[in-house]
Amino acid sequence: MAKKHFSPSSLNMLFRCGEQYRRSYMEGEKIPPGVAAVKGRAVHGAAEVNFEQKVESHRDISKSQAQEAAAAAYESALNDGVTFSTSDRATGESKVLAEAKDRAIVMTDAHMDVQAPEYQPVLVEQRVRLELPQLEHDLVGIVDMVDSKNRVVDLKTSKRKKNQHEADHSIQLTAYAAMTRQLTGKSPEELRLDVLVDKKSGVERQVVRTYRGDPAYDALAARIQVAEKMVQAGLFAPVDPGHWCCHPSWCGYWDSCPYVDSERKGKAGL
């Protein structure tokens, strides 16, 4: 029997909202992502196609090839399912999907213009298992990309800029640093969120740099130990109702969540 594991995203979910974790990972209630995530997956798919071949070629593919890769990734994401918000349904699902695909192509062009030329990848979409013999769970994740300067790069798409605090305290980036150290034998020189911010005025690039050392790895190990105890005890505390993620636009379980009162659901039109 394969050993159980956490991933950086499952740890994030568990500590953010235990009820969301319980339903997703313990009960297997998988909710398809929203349209924004599908758009991001398309851009990420194009970057992956480009960087995988660039490890050997040391050249970027053409924009037209990147656009084709983005379109294919977009269609693949749609086939896996998508969740529409109330505003999406009011606008019209077909229109929302068409606009999202168009923006994915625009953002892919931006990626090829301002992000891709900066990097010579050496590892792309590398799956890593950090074995934790003292625990029932290991930590498993996929590192987006490590470049020739030993920088771990996490490509993001967003409607808003990220902040330094988010990068400095990201569980995901700490996990990527630990995984890179296992792969290469040394900690990365730099971790970065390389973000394409999709604004009405155009696509803006934002790079947020951060670093990790041994104290961060120790803190991650302590966090994983607590996560395991929470799962073993069946303690899945819901998020604070005032948190941004406790909203129908951000949580697919919101309308059926026992911790959301009927008055809030009524105000949301559900």
Side-chain angles (χ1 to χ4, degrees):
M1 186 176 185
K3 186 178 179 181
K4 295 180 287 187
H5 69 270
F6 292 115
S7 66
S9 58
S10 71
L11 287 176
N12 274 327
M13 184 181 291
L14 177 60
F15 290 119
R16 183 175 63 239
C17 180
E19 173 64 8
Q20 191 179 60
Y21 177 94
R22 182 189 70 80
R23 294 181 65 169
S24 179
Y25 288 94
M26 305 301 290
E27 302 299 329
E29 295 182 48
K30 299 298 184 181
I31 303 296
V35 177
V38 172
K39 179 174 63 176
R41 182 170 157 183
V43 180
H44 193 278
E48 180 181 347
V49 167
N50 179 47
F51 284 144
E52 282 187 337
Q53 66 81 37
K54 193 176 182 180
V55 171
E56 298 295 334
S57 73
H58 289 240
R59 294 181 180 179
D60 292 313
I61 59 177
S62 67
K63 272 190 180 181
S64 61
Q65 290 173 312
Q67 291 171 359
E68 290 175 4
Y74 185 84
E75 294 303 324
S76 176
L78 287 187
N79 290 336
D80 291 340
V82 60
T83 297
F84 294 99
S85 67
T86 303
S87 60
D88 289 336
R89 290 190 287 269
T91 301
E93 295 176 5
S94 296
K95 182 178 180 181
V96 167
L97 289 177
E99 290 176 349
K101 187 173 183 179
D102 288 343
R103 292 308 300 170
I105 297 300
V106 171
M107 296 180 80
T108 297
D109 286 346
H111 165 72
M112 297 304 296
D113 284 336
V114 301
Q115 289 179 316
E118 182 173 338
Y119 301 115
Q120 174 51 50
V122 294
L123 296 172
V124 179
E125 295 295 310
Q126 188 73 45
R127 187 179 190 272
V128 185
R129 176 181 285 269
L130 289 179
E131 296 184 356
L132 305 171
Q134 73 277 23
L135 298 179
E136 294 180 2
H137 292 72
D138 289 335
L139 182 65
V140 175
I142 298 176
V143 181
D144 274 11
M145 190 261 284
V146 181
D147 78 349
S148 58
K149 297 181 179 179
N150 196 28
R151 300 178 296 189
V152 175
V153 183
D154 188 13
L155 300 172
K156 298 286 190 184
T157 59
S158 179
K159 290 185 177 180
R160 299 175 182 83
K161 287 186 175 183
K162 306 295 183 179
N163 59 63
Q164 189 65 50
H165 183 273
E166 184 175 354
D168 290 343
H169 299 280
S170 167
I171 291 175
Q172 186 176 43
L173 289 181
T174 303
Y176 286 172
M179 291 170 180
T180 300
R181 185 171 69 167
Q182 175 168 294
L183 287 170
T184 65
K186 55 184 179 180
S187 291
E189 294 295 324
E190 179 184 288
L191 302 160
R192 58 168 57 183
L193 298 176
D194 199 330
V195 189
L196 292 177
V197 185
D198 191 14
K199 305 169 71 173
K200 290 183 179 179
S201 58
V203 180
E204 179 181 347
R205 182 191 185 193
Q206 178 197 22
V207 178
V208 186
R209 299 170 177 84
T210 188
Y211 306 89
R212 295 293 189 274
D214 288 342
Y217 302 140
D218 294 340
L220 176 62
R223 188 173 289 272
I224 294 171
Q225 290 175 351
V226 170
E228 183 163 282
K229 290 178 181 178
M230 292 167 65
V231 172
Q232 290 170 339
L235 296 176
F236 302 105
V239 70
D240 185 302
H243 194 282
W244 62 264
C245 76
C246 191
H247 189 276
S249 296
W250 298 103
C251 180
Y253 307 101
W254 195 88
D255 60 344
S256 60
C257 180
Y259 302 105
V260 178
D261 63 71
S262 57
E263 183 177 3
R264 287 183 68 201
K265 291 177 181 177
K267 289 180 180 178
L270 297 172

PDB file of all heavy atoms in Angstrom, residues 84-115:
ATOM      1  N   PHE A  84     -18.976  27.760 -12.734  1.00  0.00           N
ATOM      2  CA  PHE A  84     -19.335  29.134 -13.066  1.00  0.00           C
ATOM      3  C   PHE A  84     -19.911  29.841 -11.839  1.00  0.00           C
ATOM      4  O   PHE A  84     -20.734  29.279 -11.116  1.00  0.00           O
ATOM      5  CB  PHE A  84     -20.367  29.166 -14.197  1.00  0.00           C
ATOM      6  CG  PHE A  84     -19.844  28.660 -15.506  1.00  0.00           C
ATOM      7  CD1 PHE A  84     -20.107  27.356 -15.917  1.00  0.00           C
ATOM      8  CD2 PHE A  84     -19.082  29.472 -16.331  1.00  0.00           C
ATOM      9  CE1 PHE A  84     -19.622  26.877 -17.124  1.00  0.00           C
ATOM     10  CE2 PHE A  84     -18.593  29.010 -17.535  1.00  0.00           C
ATOM     11  CZ  PHE A  84     -18.859  27.701 -17.935  1.00  0.00           C
ATOM     12  N   SER A  85     -19.465  31.067 -11.633  1.00  0.00           N
ATOM     13  CA  SER A  85     -19.994  31.875 -10.536  1.00  0.00           C
ATOM     14  C   SER A  85     -21.339  32.463 -10.935  1.00  0.00           C
ATOM     15  O   SER A  85     -21.770  32.374 -12.094  1.00  0.00           O
ATOM     16  CB  SER A  85     -19.016  33.010 -10.209  1.00  0.00           C
ATOM     17  OG  SER A  85     -18.954  33.929 -11.292  1.00  0.00           O
ATOM     18  N   THR A  86     -22.000  33.093  -9.966  1.00  0.00           N
ATOM     19  CA  THR A  86     -23.278  33.744 -10.243  1.00  0.00           C
ATOM     20  C   THR A  86     -23.123  34.817 -11.305  1.00  0.00           C
ATOM     21  O   THR A  86     -23.946  34.937 -12.219  1.00  0.00           O
ATOM     22  CB  THR A  86     -23.850  34.364  -8.954  1.00  0.00           C
ATOM     23  OG1 THR A  86     -23.991  33.350  -7.959  1.00  0.00           O
ATOM     24  CG2 THR A  86     -25.199  35.006  -9.209  1.00  0.00           C
ATOM     25  N   SER A  87     -22.033  35.595 -11.218  1.00  0.00           N
ATOM     26  CA  SER A  87     -21.807  36.653 -12.205  1.00  0.00           C
ATOM     27  C   SER A  87     -21.494  36.063 -13.576  1.00  0.00           C
ATOM     28  O   SER A  87     -21.886  36.630 -14.608  1.00  0.00           O
ATOM     29  CB  SER A  87     -20.660  37.568 -11.758  1.00  0.00           C
ATOM     30  OG  SER A  87     -19.458  36.838 -11.616  1.00  0.00           O
ATOM     31  N   ASP A  88     -20.808  34.922 -13.611  1.00  0.00           N
ATOM     32  CA  ASP A  88     -20.536  34.251 -14.883  1.00  0.00           C
ATOM     33  C   ASP A  88     -21.845  33.854 -15.564  1.00  0.00           C
ATOM     34  O   ASP A  88     -22.022  34.062 -16.775  1.00  0.00           O
ATOM     35  CB  ASP A  88     -19.692  32.988 -14.673  1.00  0.00           C
ATOM     36  CG  ASP A  88     -18.259  33.285 -14.282  1.00  0.00           C
ATOM     37  OD1 ASP A  88     -17.775  34.386 -14.589  1.00  0.00           O
ATOM     38  OD2 ASP A  88     -17.626  32.402 -13.681  1.00  0.00           O
ATOM     39  N   ARG A  89     -22.736  33.284 -14.783  1.00  0.00           N
ATOM     40  CA  ARG A  89     -24.018  32.840 -15.356  1.00  0.00           C
ATOM     41  C   ARG A  89     -24.853  34.018 -15.822  1.00  0.00           C
ATOM     42  O   ARG A  89     -25.572  33.936 -16.820  1.00  0.00           O
ATOM     43  CB  ARG A  89     -24.781  32.002 -14.325  1.00  0.00           C
ATOM     44  CG  ARG A  89     -24.134  30.637 -14.065  1.00  0.00           C
ATOM     45  CD  ARG A  89     -25.043  29.742 -13.236  1.00  0.00           C
ATOM     46  NE  ARG A  89     -25.094  30.186 -11.848  1.00  0.00           N
ATOM     47  CZ  ARG A  89     -24.276  29.757 -10.896  1.00  0.00           C
ATOM     48  NH1 ARG A  89     -23.322  28.887 -11.184  1.00  0.00           N
ATOM     49  NH2 ARG A  89     -24.403  30.200  -9.657  1.00  0.00           N
ATOM     50  N   ALA A  90     -24.755  35.148 -15.103  1.00  0.00           N
ATOM     51  CA  ALA A  90     -25.496  36.343 -15.519  1.00  0.00           C
ATOM     52  C   ALA A  90     -24.951  36.898 -16.831  1.00  0.00           C
ATOM     53  O   ALA A  90     -25.709  37.369 -17.687  1.00  0.00           O
ATOM     54  CB  ALA A  90     -25.417  37.405 -14.427  1.00  0.00           C
ATOM     55  N   THR A  91     -23.654  36.852 -17.001  1.00  0.00           N
ATOM     56  CA  THR A  91     -23.021  37.334 -18.232  1.00  0.00           C
ATOM     57  C   THR A  91     -23.288  36.400 -19.400  1.00  0.00           C
ATOM     58  O   THR A  91     -23.472  36.838 -20.540  1.00  0.00           O
ATOM     59  CB  THR A  91     -21.492  37.474 -18.035  1.00  0.00           C
ATOM     60  OG1 THR A  91     -21.251  38.380 -16.968  1.00  0.00           O
ATOM     61  CG2 THR A  91     -20.819  37.976 -19.299  1.00  0.00           C
ATOM     62  N   GLY A  92     -23.316  35.106 -19.096  1.00  0.00           N
ATOM     63  CA  GLY A  92     -23.484  34.092 -20.136  1.00  0.00           C
ATOM     64  C   GLY A  92     -22.250  33.218 -20.196  1.00  0.00           C
ATOM     65  O   GLY A  92     -21.140  33.726 -20.424  1.00  0.00           O
ATOM     66  N   GLU A  93     -22.431  31.936 -19.974  1.00  0.00           N
ATOM     67  CA  GLU A  93     -21.294  31.033 -19.857  1.00  0.00           C
ATOM     68  C   GLU A  93     -20.438  31.007 -21.121  1.00  0.00           C
ATOM     69  O   GLU A  93     -19.212  31.024 -21.050  1.00  0.00           O
ATOM     70  CB  GLU A  93     -21.789  29.630 -19.501  1.00  0.00           C
ATOM     71  CG  GLU A  93     -22.444  29.564 -18.126  1.00  0.00           C
ATOM     72  CD  GLU A  93     -23.015  28.202 -17.806  1.00  0.00           C
ATOM     73  OE1 GLU A  93     -22.815  27.270 -18.621  1.00  0.00           O
ATOM     74  OE2 GLU A  93     -23.654  28.057 -16.750  1.00  0.00           O
ATOM     75  N   SER A  94     -21.075  30.976 -22.275  1.00  0.00           N
ATOM     76  CA  SER A  94     -20.322  30.919 -23.542  1.00  0.00           C
ATOM     77  C   SER A  94     -19.471  32.168 -23.725  1.00  0.00           C
ATOM     78  O   SER A  94     -18.306  32.096 -24.146  1.00  0.00           O
ATOM     79  CB  SER A  94     -21.270  30.750 -24.724  1.00  0.00           C
ATOM     80  OG  SER A  94     -21.946  29.518 -24.644  1.00  0.00           O
ATOM     81  N   LYS A  95     -20.043  33.317 -23.387  1.00  0.00           N
ATOM     82  CA  LYS A  95     -19.312  34.572 -23.527  1.00  0.00           C
ATOM     83  C   LYS A  95     -18.133  34.620 -22.567  1.00  0.00           C
ATOM     84  O   LYS A  95     -17.027  35.039 -22.941  1.00  0.00           O
ATOM     85  CB  LYS A  95     -20.246  35.749 -23.266  1.00  0.00           C
ATOM     86  CG  LYS A  95     -19.582  37.114 -23.443  1.00  0.00           C
ATOM     87  CD  LYS A  95     -20.568  38.248 -23.218  1.00  0.00           C
ATOM     88  CE  LYS A  95     -19.883  39.602 -23.402  1.00  0.00           C
ATOM     89  NZ  LYS A  95     -20.837  40.716 -23.168  1.00  0.00           N
ATOM     90  N   VAL A  96     -18.359  34.185 -21.343  1.00  0.00           N
ATOM     91  CA  VAL A  96     -17.293  34.185 -20.335  1.00  0.00           C
ATOM     92  C   VAL A  96     -16.140  33.281 -20.771  1.00  0.00           C
ATOM     93  O   VAL A  96     -14.965  33.649 -20.662  1.00  0.00           O
ATOM     94  CB  VAL A  96     -17.847  33.730 -18.968  1.00  0.00           C
ATOM     95  CG1 VAL A  96     -16.717  33.420 -17.997  1.00  0.00           C
ATOM     96  CG2 VAL A  96     -18.749  34.802 -18.379  1.00  0.00           C
ATOM     97  N   LEU A  97     -16.451  32.116 -21.296  1.00  0.00           N
ATOM     98  CA  LEU A  97     -15.418  31.178 -21.734  1.00  0.00           C
ATOM     99  C   LEU A  97     -14.640  31.722 -22.930  1.00  0.00           C
ATOM    100  O   LEU A  97     -13.417  31.578 -23.003  1.00  0.00           O
ATOM    101  CB  LEU A  97     -16.035  29.830 -22.089  1.00  0.00           C
ATOM    102  CG  LEU A  97     -16.561  28.999 -20.916  1.00  0.00           C
ATOM    103  CD1 LEU A  97     -17.209  27.721 -21.428  1.00  0.00           C
ATOM    104  CD2 LEU A  97     -15.451  28.667 -19.936  1.00  0.00           C
ATOM    105  N   ALA A  98     -15.347  32.349 -23.867  1.00  0.00           N
ATOM    106  CA  ALA A  98     -14.676  32.908 -25.038  1.00  0.00           C
ATOM    107  C   ALA A  98     -13.729  34.037 -24.643  1.00  0.00           C
ATOM    108  O   ALA A  98     -12.597  34.129 -25.137  1.00  0.00           O
ATOM    109  CB  ALA A  98     -15.707  33.411 -26.042  1.00  0.00           C
ATOM    110  N   GLU A  99     -14.178  34.896 -23.727  1.00  0.00           N
ATOM    111  CA  GLU A  99     -13.338  36.001 -23.271  1.00  0.00           C
ATOM    112  C   GLU A  99     -12.125  35.475 -22.501  1.00  0.00           C
ATOM    113  O   GLU A  99     -11.018  35.999 -22.642  1.00  0.00           O
ATOM    114  CB  GLU A  99     -14.161  36.948 -22.395  1.00  0.00           C
ATOM    115  CG  GLU A  99     -15.206  37.747 -23.166  1.00  0.00           C
ATOM    116  CD  GLU A  99     -16.066  38.617 -22.255  1.00  0.00           C
ATOM    117  OE1 GLU A  99     -15.983  38.445 -21.012  1.00  0.00           O
ATOM    118  OE2 GLU A  99     -16.810  39.459 -22.789  1.00  0.00           O
ATOM    119  N   ALA A 100     -12.336  34.430 -21.710  1.00  0.00           N
ATOM    120  CA  ALA A 100     -11.238  33.862 -20.943  1.00  0.00           C
ATOM    121  C   ALA A 100     -10.179  33.260 -21.865  1.00  0.00           C
ATOM    122  O   ALA A 100      -8.973  33.412 -21.634  1.00  0.00           O
ATOM    123  CB  ALA A 100     -11.765  32.803 -19.978  1.00  0.00           C
ATOM    124  N   LYS A 101     -10.619  32.605 -22.911  1.00  0.00           N
ATOM    125  CA  LYS A 101      -9.661  32.019 -23.858  1.00  0.00           C
ATOM    126  C   LYS A 101      -8.864  33.112 -24.568  1.00  0.00           C
ATOM    127  O   LYS A 101      -7.647  32.992 -24.751  1.00  0.00           O
ATOM    128  CB  LYS A 101     -10.392  31.151 -24.879  1.00  0.00           C
ATOM    129  CG  LYS A 101      -9.456  30.382 -25.793  1.00  0.00           C
ATOM    130  CD  LYS A 101     -10.214  29.406 -26.679  1.00  0.00           C
ATOM    131  CE  LYS A 101      -9.274  28.577 -27.533  1.00  0.00           C
ATOM    132  NZ  LYS A 101     -10.006  27.603 -28.393  1.00  0.00           N
ATOM    133  N   ASP A 102      -9.560  34.182 -24.945  1.00  0.00           N
ATOM    134  CA  ASP A 102      -8.864  35.305 -25.587  1.00  0.00           C
ATOM    135  C   ASP A 102      -7.809  35.897 -24.661  1.00  0.00           C
ATOM    136  O   ASP A 102      -6.680  36.208 -25.082  1.00  0.00           O
ATOM    137  CB  ASP A 102      -9.865  36.387 -25.989  1.00  0.00           C
ATOM    138  CG  ASP A 102     -10.735  35.979 -27.174  1.00  0.00           C
ATOM    139  OD1 ASP A 102     -10.367  35.016 -27.876  1.00  0.00           O
ATOM    140  OD2 ASP A 102     -11.775  36.620 -27.391  1.00  0.00           O
ATOM    141  N   ARG A 103      -8.167  36.059 -23.381  1.00  0.00           N
ATOM    142  CA  ARG A 103      -7.213  36.633 -22.423  1.00  0.00           C
ATOM    143  C   ARG A 103      -6.051  35.671 -22.179  1.00  0.00           C
ATOM    144  O   ARG A 103      -4.908  36.105 -21.976  1.00  0.00           O
ATOM    145  CB  ARG A 103      -7.911  36.943 -21.095  1.00  0.00           C
ATOM    146  CG  ARG A 103      -8.930  38.064 -21.159  1.00  0.00           C
ATOM    147  CD  ARG A 103      -8.361  39.326 -21.778  1.00  0.00           C
ATOM    148  NE  ARG A 103      -7.218  39.857 -21.031  1.00  0.00           N
ATOM    149  CZ  ARG A 103      -6.431  40.822 -21.468  1.00  0.00           C
ATOM    150  NH1 ARG A 103      -6.623  41.340 -22.680  1.00  0.00           N
ATOM    151  NH2 ARG A 103      -5.427  41.270 -20.727  1.00  0.00           N
ATOM    152  N   ALA A 104      -6.318  34.369 -22.214  1.00  0.00           N
ATOM    153  CA  ALA A 104      -5.249  33.394 -22.049  1.00  0.00           C
ATOM    154  C   ALA A 104      -4.223  33.520 -23.167  1.00  0.00           C
ATOM    155  O   ALA A 104      -3.010  33.422 -22.931  1.00  0.00           O
ATOM    156  CB  ALA A 104      -5.824  31.979 -22.014  1.00  0.00           C
ATOM    157  N   ILE A 105      -4.690  33.779 -24.377  1.00  0.00           N
ATOM    158  CA  ILE A 105      -3.779  33.953 -25.510  1.00  0.00           C
ATOM    159  C   ILE A 105      -2.971  35.240 -25.346  1.00  0.00           C
ATOM    160  O   ILE A 105      -1.753  35.266 -25.579  1.00  0.00           O
ATOM    161  CB  ILE A 105      -4.552  33.976 -26.841  1.00  0.00           C
ATOM    162  CG1 ILE A 105      -5.256  32.627 -27.068  1.00  0.00           C
ATOM    163  CG2 ILE A 105      -3.617  34.294 -27.998  1.00  0.00           C
ATOM    164  CD1 ILE A 105      -4.327  31.439 -27.131  1.00  0.00           C
ATOM    165  N   VAL A 106      -3.633  36.311 -24.908  1.00  0.00           N
ATOM    166  CA  VAL A 106      -2.933  37.577 -24.673  1.00  0.00           C
ATOM    167  C   VAL A 106      -1.863  37.404 -23.600  1.00  0.00           C
ATOM    168  O   VAL A 106      -0.731  37.894 -23.738  1.00  0.00           O
ATOM    169  CB  VAL A 106      -3.938  38.682 -24.262  1.00  0.00           C
ATOM    170  CG1 VAL A 106      -3.205  39.937 -23.794  1.00  0.00           C
ATOM    171  CG2 VAL A 106      -4.858  39.026 -25.432  1.00  0.00           C
ATOM    172  N   MET A 107      -2.202  36.691 -22.542  1.00  0.00           N
ATOM    173  CA  MET A 107      -1.245  36.483 -21.456  1.00  0.00           C
ATOM    174  C   MET A 107      -0.117  35.545 -21.887  1.00  0.00           C
ATOM    175  O   MET A 107       1.033  35.690 -21.442  1.00  0.00           O
ATOM    176  CB  MET A 107      -1.965  35.942 -20.220  1.00  0.00           C
ATOM    177  CG  MET A 107      -2.977  36.920 -19.651  1.00  0.00           C
ATOM    178  SD  MET A 107      -3.832  36.294 -18.191  1.00  0.00           S
ATOM    179  CE  MET A 107      -2.598  36.586 -16.921  1.00  0.00           C
ATOM    180  N   THR A 108      -0.418  34.612 -22.742  1.00  0.00           N
ATOM    181  CA  THR A 108       0.630  33.741 -23.281  1.00  0.00           C
ATOM    182  C   THR A 108       1.627  34.549 -24.102  1.00  0.00           C
ATOM    183  O   THR A 108       2.845  34.347 -24.014  1.00  0.00           O
ATOM    184  CB  THR A 108       0.012  32.627 -24.134  1.00  0.00           C
ATOM    185  OG1 THR A 108      -0.815  31.796 -23.298  1.00  0.00           O
ATOM    186  CG2 THR A 108       1.080  31.770 -24.802  1.00  0.00           C
ATOM    187  N   ASP A 109       1.120  35.484 -24.898  1.00  0.00           N
ATOM    188  CA  ASP A 109       2.015  36.371 -25.652  1.00  0.00           C
ATOM    189  C   ASP A 109       2.919  37.154 -24.701  1.00  0.00           C
ATOM    190  O   ASP A 109       4.125  37.318 -24.960  1.00  0.00           O
ATOM    191  CB  ASP A 109       1.201  37.340 -26.511  1.00  0.00           C
ATOM    192  CG  ASP A 109       0.585  36.672 -27.734  1.00  0.00           C
ATOM    193  OD1 ASP A 109       0.988  35.540 -28.063  1.00  0.00           O
ATOM    194  OD2 ASP A 109      -0.295  37.288 -28.365  1.00  0.00           O
ATOM    195  N   ALA A 110       2.327  37.630 -23.607  1.00  0.00           N
ATOM    196  CA  ALA A 110       3.117  38.383 -22.622  1.00  0.00           C
ATOM    197  C   ALA A 110       4.181  37.487 -21.994  1.00  0.00           C
ATOM    198  O   ALA A 110       5.321  37.913 -21.776  1.00  0.00           O
ATOM    199  CB  ALA A 110       2.198  38.956 -21.548  1.00  0.00           C
ATOM    200  N   HIS A 111       3.813  36.265 -21.713  1.00  0.00           N
ATOM    201  CA  HIS A 111       4.791  35.318 -21.163  1.00  0.00           C
ATOM    202  C   HIS A 111       5.975  35.151 -22.113  1.00  0.00           C
ATOM    203  O   HIS A 111       7.139  35.191 -21.687  1.00  0.00           O
ATOM    204  CB  HIS A 111       4.145  33.962 -20.916  1.00  0.00           C
ATOM    205  CG  HIS A 111       5.129  32.860 -20.691  1.00  0.00           C
ATOM    206  ND1 HIS A 111       5.874  32.744 -19.535  1.00  0.00           N
ATOM    207  CD2 HIS A 111       5.537  31.841 -21.501  1.00  0.00           C
ATOM    208  CE1 HIS A 111       6.684  31.704 -19.636  1.00  0.00           C
ATOM    209  NE2 HIS A 111       6.508  31.140 -20.808  1.00  0.00           N
ATOM    210  N   MET A 112       5.697  34.987 -23.380  1.00  0.00           N
ATOM    211  CA  MET A 112       6.769  34.774 -24.358  1.00  0.00           C
ATOM    212  C   MET A 112       7.613  36.034 -24.551  1.00  0.00           C
ATOM    213  O   MET A 112       8.803  35.948 -24.869  1.00  0.00           O
ATOM    214  CB  MET A 112       6.173  34.332 -25.697  1.00  0.00           C
ATOM    215  CG  MET A 112       5.435  32.993 -25.640  1.00  0.00           C
ATOM    216  SD  MET A 112       6.455  31.620 -25.022  1.00  0.00           S
ATOM    217  CE  MET A 112       7.716  31.529 -26.302  1.00  0.00           C
ATOM    218  N   ASP A 113       7.006  37.198 -24.332  1.00  0.00           N
ATOM    219  CA  ASP A 113       7.736  38.464 -24.506  1.00  0.00           C
ATOM    220  C   ASP A 113       8.625  38.796 -23.316  1.00  0.00           C
ATOM    221  O   ASP A 113       9.786  39.196 -23.491  1.00  0.00           O
ATOM    222  CB  ASP A 113       6.751  39.610 -24.724  1.00  0.00           C
ATOM    223  CG  ASP A 113       6.149  39.628 -26.123  1.00  0.00           C
ATOM    224  OD1 ASP A 113       6.776  39.075 -27.047  1.00  0.00           O
ATOM    225  OD2 ASP A 113       5.043  40.191 -26.282  1.00  0.00           O
ATOM    226  N   VAL A 114       8.092  38.649 -22.096  1.00  0.00           N
ATOM    227  CA  VAL A 114       8.789  39.221 -20.939  1.00  0.00           C
ATOM    228  C   VAL A 114       9.264  38.209 -19.910  1.00  0.00           C
ATOM    229  O   VAL A 114      10.129  38.526 -19.083  1.00  0.00           O
ATOM    230  CB  VAL A 114       7.896  40.281 -20.238  1.00  0.00           C
ATOM    231  CG1 VAL A 114       7.538  41.400 -21.187  1.00  0.00           C
ATOM    232  CG2 VAL A 114       6.640  39.645 -19.642  1.00  0.00           C
ATOM    233  N   GLN A 115       8.716  36.994 -19.908  1.00  0.00           N
ATOM    234  CA  GLN A 115       9.145  36.001 -18.927  1.00  0.00           C
ATOM    235  C   GLN A 115      10.094  34.967 -19.530  1.00  0.00           C
ATOM    236  O   GLN A 115      11.217  34.796 -19.049  1.00  0.00           O
ATOM    237  CB  GLN A 115       7.925  35.276 -18.332  1.00  0.00           C
ATOM    238  CG  GLN A 115       7.073  36.121 -17.409  1.00  0.00           C
ATOM    239  CD  GLN A 115       5.870  35.342 -16.872  1.00  0.00           C
ATOM    240  OE1 GLN A 115       5.203  34.628 -17.626  1.00  0.00           O
ATOM    241  NE2 GLN A 115       5.595  35.486 -15.595  1.00  0.00           N
TER     242      GLN A 115
END
